[in-house]
Amino acid sequence: MVKLSELCHSMLAVSEKAANVARTIRSEDTLFELLIEEKSGDQKNPISDKDFKTLGDVLIQETVKHDLNKKFEGFGHRIFGEESNTFMNQLGEKITVEVKDSVDKTSDLLKRVLNGKVEAADLLAKAVHTDIVLSEEPCLADVTEDIDVSNVGVWIDPIDSTAQYIKGIEDCESVNGIYREGLQCVTVLIGAYNMDTGLPFFGIINQPFSMKDHDAKR
């Protein structure tokens, strides 16, 4: 048994790390263009003519699995996502993307995905292994329940609105405070549910691009 507030806080922290990975990948167009792969076969959305995944999708999904499993041992087997964690590089090699137990090992794997691009691989590995420290959320102060984490499942949509992520439009105007296109639409979605009933009991929506940092130009 663990505190529900502890689980919520851990998932908030990993969602922010996921958002940081998404921003890191999107910060360099030349890097980003290497990381897009069109889905095919069972991976493809049947209602879409073209469907894509990016290394951001795969790496975020694996980061969430890695971090939550590290915090709650054995939890990784109950974390699911919509992306296959295989990625094909420009040499035609099919690589299983996963977060290793050190920055160097993760970087070595990413160098294979990125066709030997050392600087990019190091940048992404650092983002994946950088600890995110969040202040305590006041809204969790009243959450005192315990929860059996062995009966909790997690579903991840690592980059919702992938098409807008790929387009990368930054200057869209909102309509009544709602963005219908552009990077502001991109979200990281993480939901927790009861494994017995399948019913969700909380979820996190993180908007990596809700605001632009003009100093960092991202």
Side-chain angles (χ1 to χ4, degrees):
M1 302 291 282
V2 301
K3 293 291 184 184
L4 178 57
S5 58
E6 181 184 0
L7 178 62
C8 292
H9 187 80
S10 297
M11 292 178 70
L12 281 170
V14 79
S15 79
E16 186 54 33
K17 180 184 283 192
N20 191 47
V21 172
R23 289 188 290 264
T24 299
I25 290 176
R26 201 65 188 80
S27 62
E28 295 289 343
D29 287 342
T30 52
L31 166 62
F32 183 72
E33 288 167 5
L34 293 172
L35 310 181
I36 304 171
E37 178 180 291
E38 185 171 357
K39 297 180 186 179
S40 60
D42 293 339
Q43 295 184 44
K44 187 172 181 179
N45 185 338
I47 66 172
S48 176
D49 290 334
K50 283 188 177 291
D51 196 10
F52 295 89
K53 69 178 177 182
T54 72
L55 184 61
D57 290 285
V58 180
L59 195 55
I60 285 171
Q61 184 169 288
E62 295 308 304
T63 297
V64 172
K65 287 182 181 179
H66 174 271
D67 281 24
L68 290 180
N69 190 65
K70 186 176 178 180
K71 179 73 174 179
F72 306 102
E73 187 176 356
F75 198 22
H77 299 297
R78 297 185 299 282
I79 300 175
F80 309 97
E82 64 172 24
E83 304 297 351
S84 163
N85 68 332
T86 58
F87 209 89
M88 189 172 294
N89 66 12
Q90 291 183 334
L91 298 177
E93 297 177 310
K94 188 173 287 188
I95 300 165
T96 298
V97 177
E98 58 185 348
V99 177
K100 300 293 187 178
D101 57 8
S102 72
V103 175
D104 288 343
K105 290 180 181 179
T106 300
S107 179
D108 287 344
L109 183 145
L110 292 174
K111 286 169 193 171
R112 294 178 57 209
V113 179
L114 298 171
N115 310 297
K117 296 188 180 300
V118 175
E119 185 177 354
D122 287 345
L123 185 69
L124 292 175
K126 182 180 178 181
V128 166
H129 285 277
T130 297
D131 290 331
I132 300 295
V133 179
L134 298 180
S135 58
E136 293 294 332
E137 286 290 331
C139 63
L140 294 178
D142 296 329
V143 179
T144 58
E145 296 89 347
D146 292 330
I147 189 167
D148 180 4
V149 75
S150 68
N151 197 36
V152 174
V154 171
W155 179 262
I156 311 161
D157 190 342
I159 296 180
D160 189 43
S161 198
T162 303
Q164 299 301 327
Y165 185 61
I166 291 172
K167 289 178 182 177
I169 301 171
E170 300 179 359
D171 55 357
C172 296
E173 297 291 334
S174 65
V175 178
N176 297 323
I178 298 174
Y179 288 92
R180 298 182 179 180
E181 60 179 345
L183 282 171
Q184 290 91 341
C185 295
V186 175
T187 56
V188 176
L189 305 177
I190 305 175
Y193 62 94
N194 183 294
M195 294 283 288
D196 288 337
T197 65
L199 295 176
F201 58 89
F202 80 86
I204 295 167
I205 302 173
N206 191 309
Q207 288 180 274
F209 305 97
S210 60
M211 296 180 292
K212 184 171 183 177
D213 185 335
H214 293 282
D215 292 331
K217 297 182 179 179
R218 62 187 237 185

